[in-house]
Amino acid sequence: MTREIFFHYNYIGEIAGLIIAGLMLLIMLYSKPKDTFVYKYIFYGTILSIVSILVHISIIFVANNPENYYNKYIFMAQLMLFLIVYMGILYCIFSYVNMMSIVRRKQRKEFLIMYGIMTLVYLLGVVIEIAASGLYKLGIEGIDIRHFTRYYCCAGIVCTIFCFNATLSNKNSVSRVIKHSVFAIAPLILTLLIAQIVILSRFNTIFTALTYVPVFLLGYMLFHSNPYDEVTGAQGSHALNAYMHKNLGKRKIYVSYVKLTYPGVENLVYDRDDLILKGIAACRSVESISNKVKIFRVSEDKYVNIIETDKESEFLNFANQIRGVFDAAKTEVSIPINYIIVSGKVDESFDEPLKCRQFYEYISRKFKDLNSSHFYLVKPTDYSDFMEDYEITKALEDIRNRLDLDDDRIVVYAQPIYSVDTGSFRVAEALTRLKLGDKIINPDKFIPIAENSGTIHAVTCIVLNKVCRVIESIENYYDFDAISINVSSKEISQNNAHIELFEIINNYEFDTSKIRLEITESAMFENFDVANENMKFLSRAGIQFYLDDFGTGYSSLERVMECPFRTIKFDKTLLYKSLDDNRMDDIMTYMIEVFKKNGFVTLVEGVEDESQSQYSLEHGFDYIQGYHYAKPEPIEGVKKYFNRKTKF
Ligand code: C2E
Ligand code: CA
Ligand code: CA
């Protein structure tokens, strides 16, 4: 006898959901990073989705083929299992939406209580539903599971409303992207759930998987596969790069670059959470200025705001509002925090994002005083200054990467130094220039860049090698004591730099003492013990040290004395002041005397005219360096200042 079954359910929607969730799980297994906050919710949510769909399909399968598979107890168990897994899914979604706000995330206890209550209500509902209805029996018209579906759809509706409400009431602590997604997706899900209830009673079609799988998919797309920062809701540096690639050179781009600084932070045990919270609060407030302001968080403490407008006045207005946001953020934090904001139009000549980033970095580095905040509007000259800087940096990096000790972009000059004792030139100082095309860049410009970009050591090695070559070529024919080279403060306090310098000198046959090294006082600050050790090592090998620019630093003389310096180079400012001021003159006289008494050699720099020369001679300096005696010139020409050796 064939019996007509009324309830035959169509579950194509569930199959679709299963396929999507399966694919997502696969992608997630291979995606990185896995330890983000978002990932966990989405990952477990996806697994739960797969389980729930499988269980649901099995329920429908039994309902569609009751005569073969129906067993009251097993069927009940299937229903229970589904309801529990579904609850898990709702929790995942609810937590996910709520926890996206870091403020909420801290209220864990409240959440636990809420979950407790929700669970009780839900489970109670389940028990009542199953016990009271008694509907899941095999009837003559098949199995009616509509009641059960209606029940959990209602739970889904409640959860959606909760999520919507949580986002609405938490508007200011959730990011724009979350707000937009929740506001767009929640009504859609609600409609789907209601449609499910209605359609089910008419057409027996089930597609509830399509109300939760897409939620996880969306979350995954927005926050995991896409560059939204999960904490701040701002996009990250990849997104900024993509944005720049797309727009650079095609339209006007106004940028407000924000760098947060923490004055004296090394002395503070600061509350990182507090900082993050404030950073986030600032992000939110910047976002709410206007839809035209797009915020990118490019590192822990750097933000780039793109202001999408063509009008300069509008840009200025937004830039000022952004400043206002950070001013407000400053006052709310328990730790001192400052900002450097650089705003302006991105120059048309910038064709790559990297250049752009370096430009803003370059400008922000100009503000050295971290004890106050800075707001700066870019000027046209900044671009040309930067371009020079940029080219220098690139050339230096290239020089470092090739490390050709004969690189001809490093040009070595030398300035002979007059020895009062012998009345002749016996030493010279090597001074470096950088050749960029046909431009010659002075050291005052490129040495600081080399120091900041970590390329200074390569420069020193090349200079040293070139100086060694010249010494080798002239030492048999000319009578001189040494040529000194400048070593940057940063290098001498590095662990292996001195050994590399020593190896270069050792490649040559001449006596090591023909090379001397000049180090400024500031070097002593960086890492005194290491610097001192390294100097002692080289000193034992016969290399003399000059204390350069004496009188410009602030280091304690006592410490300086611990280092193996032989010669003190008095900075020209000391000389000029002493000529003007009697008290300075007294101090100078006294210092020269003390140094000499303690066995130091004294040298004065910057002697430009007769009166300065006279002063230097009268005060008993051992050596005099300055334009008055000789100017720096390409090092190959310096030999003419030395006496020829007579034996040839
Ligand atoms: P410095 O070590 O104090 O070098 C002396 C500077 O004073 C040189 O400038 C020299 O040309 C200049 N000078 C010489 N005589 C006079 C004078 O009578 N009056 C005046 N006003 N200046 C005079 P230069 O060559 O432009 O070098 C500037 C600075 O750049 C150097 O100051 C040194 O600190 C740094 N520097 C140069 N070459 C190198 C290098 O290879 N490595 C490192 N680390 N620093 C270098
Ligand atoms: Ca020097
Ligand atoms: Ca000097």
Side-chain angles (χ1 to χ4, degrees):
M1 186 189 83
T2 51
R3 185 160 46 81
E4 195 185 331
I5 296 169
F6 292 99
F7 295 112
H8 189 93
Y9 305 95
N10 174 339
Y11 51 93
I12 188 83
E14 297 300 295
I15 302 273
L18 186 65
I19 294 171
I20 300 173
L23 283 177
M24 237 181 92
L25 187 71
L26 253 181
I27 297 171
M28 289 194 84
L29 285 175
Y30 290 101
S31 66
K32 281 186 178 111
K34 287 195 169 46
D35 57 352
T36 65
F37 183 77
V38 169
Y39 187 91
K40 287 175 203 139
Y41 278 103
I42 299 182
F43 186 72
Y44 294 126
T46 308
I47 290 184
L48 285 179
S49 301
I50 291 176
V51 175
S52 88
I53 297 171
L54 289 174
V55 177
H56 206 183
I57 290 177
S58 78
I59 290 171
I60 298 169
F61 191 74
V62 174
N64 282 351
N65 304 284
E67 51 290 87
N68 301 331
Y69 301 106
Y70 181 73
N71 171 308
K72 190 177 166 192
Y73 298 105
I74 296 180
F75 192 61
M76 276 303 190
Q78 281 171 288
L79 294 179
M80 281 300 280
L81 181 61
F82 177 83
L83 288 175
I84 288 169
V85 177
Y86 187 74
M87 182 174 77
I89 291 175
L90 293 187
Y91 280 16
C92 255
I93 296 178
F94 183 74
S95 314
Y96 176 58
V97 170
N98 270 281
M99 295 293 186
M100 287 310 282
S101 147
I102 195 147
V103 181
R104 284 282 178 118
R105 240 189 256 184
K106 299 194 120 192
Q107 306 163 344
R108 293 249 152 144
K109 217 162 137 198
E110 286 89 330
F111 265 89
L112 284 180
I113 297 172
M114 223 162 93
Y115 285 134
I117 296 172
M118 274 163 61
T119 312
L120 273 179
V121 173
Y122 185 90
L123 290 182
L124 202 68
V126 172
V127 172
I128 294 171
E129 160 75 7
I130 292 180
S133 68
L135 281 173
Y136 311 118
K137 291 192 303 237
L138 183 61
I140 34 163
E141 47 313 80
I143 302 181
D144 185 357
I145 55 170
R146 289 176 305 180
H147 204 274
F148 149 79
T149 311
R150 239 176 267 142
Y151 172 74
Y152 74 76
C153 280
C154 287
I157 289 173
V158 172
C159 176
T160 315
I161 293 172
F162 273 14
C163 287
F164 192 82
N165 180 52
T167 313
L168 196 69
S169 63
N170 222 358
K171 254 198 338 267
N172 296 328
S173 64
V174 241
S175 66
R176 183 151 74 196
V177 47
I178 298 264
K179 254 182 299 199
H180 287 179
S181 339
V182 171
F183 289 172
I185 203 101
L188 193 75
I189 304 279
L190 271 184
T191 318
L192 273 177
L193 284 167
I194 294 166
Q196 170 70 91
I197 296 174
V198 175
I199 288 173
L200 181 65
S201 26
R202 298 240 177 137
F203 306 107
N204 287 347
T205 296
I206 295 178
F207 50 81
T208 35
L210 296 183
T211 63
Y212 50 87
V213 174
V215 175
F216 294 116
L217 185 65
L218 182 81
Y220 180 70
M221 288 196 314
L222 279 182
F223 298 100
H224 201 84
S225 64
N226 226 41
Y228 280 99
D229 182 290
E230 64 178 31
V231 179
T232 58
Q235 285 190 282
S237 53
H238 293 305
L240 179 63
N241 267 356
Y243 183 93
M244 287 297 191
H245 266 304
K246 201 171 142 216
N247 293 296
L248 270 180
K250 300 201 179 80
R251 42 178 291 259
K252 268 191 198 171
I253 305 178
Y254 285 104
V255 165
S256 184
Y257 173 89
V258 182
K259 183 167 164 180
L260 300 179
T261 60
Y262 311 105
V265 90
E266 59 288 351
N267 312 325
L268 290 165
V269 188
Y270 62 92
D271 182 1
R272 256 187 63 86
D273 278 3
D274 194 23
L275 269 187
I276 293 178
L277 277 177
K278 289 306 154 199
I280 291 163
C283 276
R284 303 275 181 277
S285 320
V286 169
E287 269 188 334
S288 59
I289 292 175
S290 158
N291 274 343
K292 290 181 177 172
V293 180
K294 297 215 157 20
I295 179 159
F296 297 85
R297 188 183 194 217
V298 290
S299 77
E300 179 106 324
D301 47 10
K302 285 180 202 143
Y303 298 88
V304 172
N305 304 294
I306 301 270
I307 300 168
E308 289 192 315
T309 175
D310 278 344
K311 293 187 221 87
E312 187 165 1
S313 56
E314 197 174 17
F315 149 70
L316 285 174
N317 175 21
F318 285 146
N320 274 313
Q321 288 193 48
I322 291 172
R323 175 195 197 165
V325 164
F326 283 94
D327 274 329
K330 268 175 62 154
T331 57
E332 285 169 16
V333 218
S334 55
I335 55 142
I337 181 168
N338 283 318
Y339 59 72
I340 298 172
I341 299 182
V342 183
S343 305
K345 188 165 71 94
V346 173
D347 193 69
E348 280 87 16
S349 68
F350 291 176
D351 48 3
E352 41 174 319
L354 179 70
K355 211 184 259 182
C356 234
R357 201 173 76 208
Q358 290 186 345
F359 172 71
Y360 286 95
E361 274 292 322
Y362 166 77
I363 302 288
S364 67
R365 266 203 307 273
K366 289 188 174 179
F367 301 99
K368 299 239 156 54
D369 168 22
L370 302 185
N371 288 316
S372 53
S373 291
H374 308 272
F375 180 80
Y376 182 79
L377 289 173
V378 172
K379 292 198 294 283
T381 49
D382 291 331
Y383 295 113
S384 45
D385 287 354
F386 162 73
M387 278 319 289
E388 194 179 47
D389 219 83
Y390 182 71
E391 258 144 36
I392 293 172
T393 313
K394 267 175 96 167
L396 287 169
E397 272 167 7
D398 190 57
I399 288 170
R400 179 196 53 199
N401 295 344
R402 285 170 200 239
L403 198 58
D404 168 9
L405 288 178
D406 297 316
D407 201 311
D408 51 18
R409 285 170 290 184
I410 297 289
V411 180
V412 183
Y413 276 47
Q415 182 177 31
I417 298 171
Y418 181 75
S419 156
V420 178
D421 221 17
T422 62
S424 61
F425 294 100
R426 297 206 53 83
V427 284
E429 174 180 11
L431 295 159
T432 310
R433 278 97 185 89
L434 176 69
K435 201 167 131 212
L436 265 191
D438 34 55
K439 266 193 297 185
I440 293 282
I441 314 286
N442 279 331
D444 293 333
K445 175 111 199 159
F446 79 84
I447 295 289
I449 300 178
E451 286 179 340
N452 284 328
S453 59
T455 50
I456 186 69
H457 184 56
V459 173
T460 312
C461 289
I462 295 170
V463 173
L464 178 61
N465 185 55
K466 292 193 170 192
V467 171
C468 286
R469 173 142 320 136
V470 169
I471 293 178
E472 188 182 55
S473 71
I474 65 172
E475 70 146 357
N476 288 330
Y477 312 101
Y478 293 89
D479 190 20
F480 67 100
D481 291 336
I483 297 181
S484 58
I485 73 161
N486 292 283
V487 176
S488 173
S489 54
K490 295 217 162 114
E491 287 180 85
I492 203 70
S493 42
Q494 262 165 23
N495 283 332
N496 288 321
H498 65 295
I499 301 201
E500 283 170 36
L501 298 180
F502 189 58
E503 279 170 0
I504 294 177
I505 302 171
N506 264 340
N507 287 337
Y508 293 85
E509 302 276 284
F510 60 77
D511 197 84
T512 324
S513 65
K514 282 256 178 306
I515 287 287
R516 293 179 185 170
L517 301 181
E518 302 196 5
I519 294 176
T520 52
E521 266 183 273
S522 61
M524 318 283 50
F525 272 125
E526 307 249 319
N527 197 340
F528 182 82
D529 292 329
V530 182
N532 194 12
E533 274 314 305
N534 295 349
M535 285 170 72
K536 285 194 170 132
F537 169 88
L538 292 170
S539 182
R540 280 194 295 270
I543 294 173
Q544 280 191 28
F545 282 92
Y546 291 180
L547 176 60
D548 203 358
D549 299 345
F550 173 70
T552 56
Y554 310 92
S555 56
S556 82
L557 254 186
E558 205 180 315
R559 297 205 98 179
V560 168
M561 296 297 180
E562 280 178 41
C563 299
F565 287 115
R566 269 296 291 283
T567 303
I568 310 295
K569 292 188 82 168
F570 283 65
D571 191 69
K572 54 178 178 287
T573 50
L574 277 186
L575 170 71
Y576 303 160
K577 277 188 208 147
S578 307
L579 275 159
D580 276 357
D581 178 344
N582 281 337
R583 281 181 311 175
M584 250 339 265
D585 177 39
D586 286 346
I587 295 173
M588 184 86 149
T589 312
Y590 173 73
M591 282 193 303
I592 296 167
E593 195 189 304
V594 171
F595 277 125
K596 291 189 118 181
K597 214 164 92 189
N598 285 284
F600 289 96
V601 177
T602 54
L603 185 157
V604 62
E605 292 185 281
V607 175
E608 291 178 348
D609 58 32
E610 187 50 44
S611 64
Q612 290 165 0
S613 167
Q614 205 54 44
Y615 179 95
S616 309
L617 291 168
E618 278 165 13
H619 281 70
F621 277 109
D622 302 309
Y623 289 89
I624 304 179
Q625 178 177 2
Y627 297 158
H628 186 64
Y629 287 83
K631 289 199 166 155
E633 62 177 280
I635 190 165
E636 292 73 21
V638 85
K639 56 179 184 260
K640 64 176 176 280
Y641 290 94
F642 301 142
N643 290 328
R644 268 190 163 271
K645 280 190 174 169
T646 43
K647 53 183 164 175
F648 292 98

